[in-house]
Each structure stands twice: as C-alpha cells, then as structure tokens.
Amino acid sequence: CRRSDPTSYSKRPFAVKFDPLLSRYTDSSARLHVSKRWSRLRVLGYVRVSTEEQRTSGAGIDAQRSSIAAECARKGWTLDEVIEDAGYSAGDLRRPGIQRALEALRSNEADALLVAKLDRLSRSMLDFASIMAAAQREGWGVIALDCAVDTTTPAGEAMANVLATFAQFERRMIQQRTR
C-alpha cells in the first residue's frame, strides 16, 4: 500500500486487536458486535452511604438512585436492579450489597456495574483493582457517572485507576483527621 494513495488504508478488510471485553484477539467485525452489545447494556446499579445519619435521611441514596436511573434512560440501558449498602464504609468489600452485585455480575445477570460516584464503590486501591481485574476476566464493565469512568474503553479504564488512587488518598486523609 502506498502512502500517496489516501484510500489504500481503508481497503483493509479488518484489523486485528486485543479486546479486553472478550479477553482475546478479535477482528473489527467482532469488535463491532461488542460495540453493539455495550450500546444496550443490562445494568446493575449500586448505591452506598457510610453513616447512620445518611442512611436514615435517605437523601444520599435517593440522589444516587436518581442519577443512575437518569443515565440509564438517557443511554437506553436496561436497569435490572439497584443494590444498596446503607451504613457501610467503602474501606473494604465486606458489604452485603457489593457482594451480591459482584455475584450477579459473575453469573452474567448484568453487563455492567453502574455507580453514581466512584468513591461509592470503593476507597481502597487494592479492592478497586480486584474489582477491575474481575470485570476484565469475567467480561463486564464498571461505569462511574461522576468522573466519566467507563472500563469498557481503554481511556476509561486508565481514568478509573487514577481516580481510585485519589479515593484511597482521601480515605487515608479522613482517617488521619478523625483519629
């Protein structure tokens, strides 16, 4: 193919690339299939507040639920369920709601986990990394609305890792201030 011919690049029948959603090498026709899959996601929402006061007021939970429902309506995604952890810290994954959500994703009951804010999912870098690894290995996505994290894309995955680092930093600062 000659560089002087601008149409020569578009005549290639397909391009082979590694697709983390399929965890294998695919051609562009398979990638198109994946793109269509992600355009009509079956989503599992996850909401969390950490204090008893927030739990009883319901304001934080309601705002998170509203954000998740609005995004699903805007994108045409199916919101299968919103799972709640009220009164639990994001310092670890020992929360009944997140365990139920991860099991549902593992069982292919949904295509993605959707949170209104990344720090509602986890403030631990290690826990977040384990969620990301499970998502890649099992073929589901993590989407956070507050920072445009969408692990179904390489840029979204990189952004998720950067933001998780700062969420852990904020958690450590809160611990230091409240001792």
Side-chain angles (χ1 to χ4, degrees):
C1 103
R2 292 185 195 167
R3 290 185 185 263
S4 61
D5 180 6
T7 61
S8 64
Y9 293 105
S10 63
K11 290 182 182 177
R12 293 186 297 178
F14 62 87
V16 176
K17 296 181 179 177
F18 182 76
D19 191 329
L21 300 176
L22 296 176
S23 297
R24 60 187 163 109
Y25 284 90
T26 62
D27 65 29
S28 58
S29 61
R31 195 158 189 55
L32 179 62
H33 172 72
V34 170
S35 297
K36 287 180 182 176
R37 174 184 172 214
W38 292 110
S39 68
R40 56 178 189 271
L41 285 175
R42 292 174 304 137
V43 172
L44 191 59
Y46 176 75
V47 296
R48 181 193 66 79
V49 292
S50 55
T51 67
E52 185 64 27
E53 181 183 330
Q54 291 169 322
R55 186 183 73 76
T56 55
S57 77
I61 292 281
D62 293 341
Q64 291 174 59
R65 281 182 189 275
S66 295
S67 295
I68 288 170
E71 185 69 7
C72 287
R74 188 175 78 77
K75 297 255 180 136
W77 297 339
T78 302
L79 180 58
D80 289 345
E81 181 183 3
V82 177
I83 296 177
E84 178 179 314
D85 271 329
Y88 287 90
S89 167
D92 59 45
L93 293 176
R94 290 181 298 210
R95 294 172 264 152
I98 194 63
Q99 291 302 318
R100 197 168 98 229
L102 294 173
E103 183 56 39
L105 290 159
R106 222 175 274 121
S107 302
N108 200 27
E109 294 173 28
D111 299 315
L113 181 64
L114 178 62
V115 294
K117 299 175 97 181
L118 187 61
D119 67 356
R120 303 294 86 196
L121 181 57
S122 179
R123 289 186 188 256
S124 162
M125 186 62 198
L126 290 175
D127 289 339
F128 185 75
S130 73
I131 291 171
M132 294 279 294
Q136 283 184 333
R137 184 177 58 252
E138 297 162 9
W140 47 272
V142 177
I143 303 167
L145 301 178
D146 66 332
C147 50
V149 165
D150 183 348
T151 64
T152 64
T153 68
E157 185 178 354
M159 181 59 81
N161 285 316
V162 169
L163 292 171
T165 299
F166 282 98
Q168 180 174 339
F169 170 72
E170 182 181 5
R171 175 177 166 243
R172 298 288 308 271
M173 293 301 291
I174 291 168
Q175 286 175 341
Q176 193 174 37
R177 283 193 306 264
T178 58
R179 285 184 185 173

